[in-house]
Amino acid sequence: MKTSLLFLLSTLLYWPISAQDSSKNWIETEAKITEIHNNIKARGTRSFATVSYTGEDGNPYQSRVELLAIPFIGTLKSVNDTVTVYYDPTNPTLAKSPETSFLQSYGLYLLIGAGILISLYNFRKKLGGDTA
């Protein structure tokens, strides 16, 4: 039971949601991080990076994208790191990051659900043990 739950959570960590909502016309490219902005609050942590990249037309562009953030810490990326971004060829300054994962979006709900399931399992096990 515990192994299955850990497998499910680790699988969902690497399942990118953004691949489902990325427009088919957007172009994937590598971008260099020039600045990082961590927004750490009690209700959540969000990290943004200012990135620079070269468009298909050969012109340099700069945009801001969201990075994967660890609660109360921020991102593990650093300035001058390279990240993958998608940009709109009709407006190359509009970019987004594919790093947003299912676990990042719904991780808290999954952890609460897992806690409830484990608690119910242990409660049921305890009740079963007392009546025997």
Side-chain angles (χ1 to χ4, degrees):
M1 168 94 176
K2 290 180 184 177
T3 306
S4 299
L5 188 59
L6 287 173
F7 175 74
L8 179 63
L9 288 174
S10 64
T11 301
L12 293 175
L13 175 66
Y14 297 105
W15 182 26
I17 288 286
S18 60
Q20 295 175 357
D21 70 17
S22 289
S23 301
K24 293 178 184 173
N25 300 345
W26 289 49
I27 298 171
E28 181 179 339
T29 189
E30 294 296 312
K32 184 177 179 180
I33 297 176
T34 57
E35 290 180 56
I36 293 180
H37 313 277
N38 289 312
N39 187 1
I40 300 173
K41 293 184 179 177
R43 300 192 90 195
T45 302
R46 296 181 76 180
S47 292
F48 298 93
T50 302
V51 295
S52 60
Y53 52 93
T54 303
E56 250 186 355
D57 57 6
N59 292 326
Y61 294 100
Q62 199 169 38
S63 187
R64 194 171 188 189
V65 296
E66 187 169 2
L67 300 174
L68 182 64
I70 298 172
F72 304 110
I73 296 174
T75 185
L76 297 179
K77 299 285 185 183
S78 302
V79 173
N80 293 326
D81 281 353
T82 303
V83 293
T84 301
V85 297
Y86 292 99
Y87 72 90
D88 186 354
T90 59
N91 183 5
T93 58
L94 186 61
K96 59 185 171 180
S97 173
E99 288 189 3
T100 305
S101 67
F102 181 83
L103 189 59
Q104 183 181 1
S105 301
Y106 299 103
L108 182 60
Y109 301 114
L110 290 173
L111 288 175
I112 290 170
I116 291 170
L117 288 175
I118 291 169
S119 296
L120 288 174
Y121 174 76
N122 288 334
F123 182 71
R124 185 173 178 212
K125 187 176 172 182
K126 185 167 180 97
L127 282 180
D130 290 342
T131 59

